[in-house]
Amino acid sequence: MRLFFRSDLPLAGDASGRFLPWIIGCMVYLAALALAAALAADNLAARWHADLAGRFTVEVPPAPASSDKDAKLRGITDLLAKTEGVTAVRLIGAADKASLLRPWLGGGDLPEDIVLPDLIVVQSATAIDMAKLSKELTAFDAAIRIDDHGRWHGDLLAFSNSMKILAFIVLSLVALAAISTVIFVTRTGLAIHRRVIEIVHLVGAQDSYIARQFLFHALRLGLAGGAAGAALAAGTWIALQHWLGTGGSGLLPSLSLSTGDWIAVAAVPVALSIVGMFTAQVTVLILLGREP
Amino acid sequence: MVLFENVSLRYGDGPAILQHVTFTLAPGSFHFIVGASGAGKSSLLRMMYLAQRPSGGRINLFGQDIDERLKRRDRPLLRRRVGVVFQDFRLLAHLSALDNVALPLRVAGVPESKIRDHVTELLRWVGLAEHIDALPATLSGGQQQRVAIARAVITRPSLLLADEPTGNLDDAIALRLMYLFAELNKVGTTIVIATHSERLVQQFTHRQLRIEQGTVRLIPQRSEAA
């Protein structure tokens, strides 16, 4: 690792290399945010999926004023409780309804004139025959609807997958841009230092010795820019989390990342620096190998 | 050690700089390359240190033919056996005298722990003990030349090539330098010195490769001629 600290080529003073950390920094910033967003979306989807696993909701339409609403609801809950596989049945009360609607309607009691369906949350340990259950429930009210959250799950999965694809595209583009930039900077460095490289060759250096110097130079610049970009991205993400936690309404989900996720985000600048490092090395070996 | 067989050289479509050059340098020999400015002395040296391919003919260095069959990765191994003092010194401006001299050792993979003492000792020997950490730009022409010479001999090369090595030195230092080359020659180093200075050549009895009109003529050692 001696050459990491000492270079025989004056690469550190190159004008072409000076902007590399800035470019790498910007690219790492974008890539880290894209990855964090994908991971947060995945976490969110997993969390919601876990919340809704083995659970479905029975939606009982508002009953006419003349009917015995309580008897109907009791009958429905009894039927649900007796259904094979069902472990818990809970009727959502007025307070819970108000809580669910708070993000849309604000705090306080619900207005008297709002007519809401009754909701019964059912927890099951095994798969329930929904067709059969639905048929049995129509005996109470033909308009009763069972929501097993299938559509919601599908949408959630699609959203999570879209975020992953988007992150993959952003990361690929960033890696491509980093590789192109490093190739350009390395080519320029080889041209600028042609005379010095010739001397180093003449005293017996292999191409690999020169390539190693470019490799460490690229690594150094990549890590400097990457660390700054990652730190900025982390700051942005934490600020966003803070805003969603305090300033945002309850409609917006939490964007929490696990320790593993943070490690993955922190790996972005490292990975990009390693890609840049080997790009520089390969570029030098190819270009010097073409010389007579 | 060095074999040139019917070697010719021209740059691009220009006229032939050297043609039908044939000579052999035995191990441990000492030769001057002499000729007027522009005669082709530096070109001849450049071919010897593998910086220039000939237009025709055969060059053999240390028993190895220098042609397109020589692998790129094998060239540095040959170059490490050749020390070169360039006419324009070719010191690396951003490196100190010590780092310039250490360069051939570093590229050869010599451990850093063995480099500093060795290089410092050699720099002291060439009279630059006070300038070990100096950048070339802060050194005089003569001092730079001594750094260049130290760099050329630091690896104890089998073949030492010097292009006008005394050009920037006063007579006393030039003579001292020539004695350094003679000492190296005594311990087995093959020496080739290109110079346009007839006065310098006349001070010694070594063989000469005299370049005239693109051809090279071997002039034997004066004692041999007698």
Side-chain angles (χ1 to χ4, degrees), chain A residues 239-263:
Chain A
L240 199 63
Q241 273 184 324
H242 181 72
W243 178 75
L244 288 174
T246 57
S249 70
L251 280 172
L252 296 172
S254 143
L255 295 176
S256 61
L257 293 176
S258 67
T259 308
D261 295 337
W262 279 113
I263 291 171

Side-chain angles (χ1 to χ4, degrees), chain A residues 200-261:
Chain A
V200 178
H201 264 147
L202 287 177
V203 298
Q206 297 278 8
D207 292 345
S208 56
Y209 180 88
I210 292 158
R212 210 156 49 235
Q213 306 222 350
F214 277 90
L215 175 150
F216 284 125
H217 178 60
L219 178 65
R220 212 160 30 215
L221 296 181
L223 283 178
L232 204 59
T236 305
W237 192 261
I238 290 166
L240 199 63
Q241 273 184 324
H242 181 72
W243 178 75
L244 288 174
T246 57
S249 70
L251 280 172
L252 296 172
S254 143
L255 295 176
S256 61
L257 293 176
S258 67
T259 308
D261 295 337

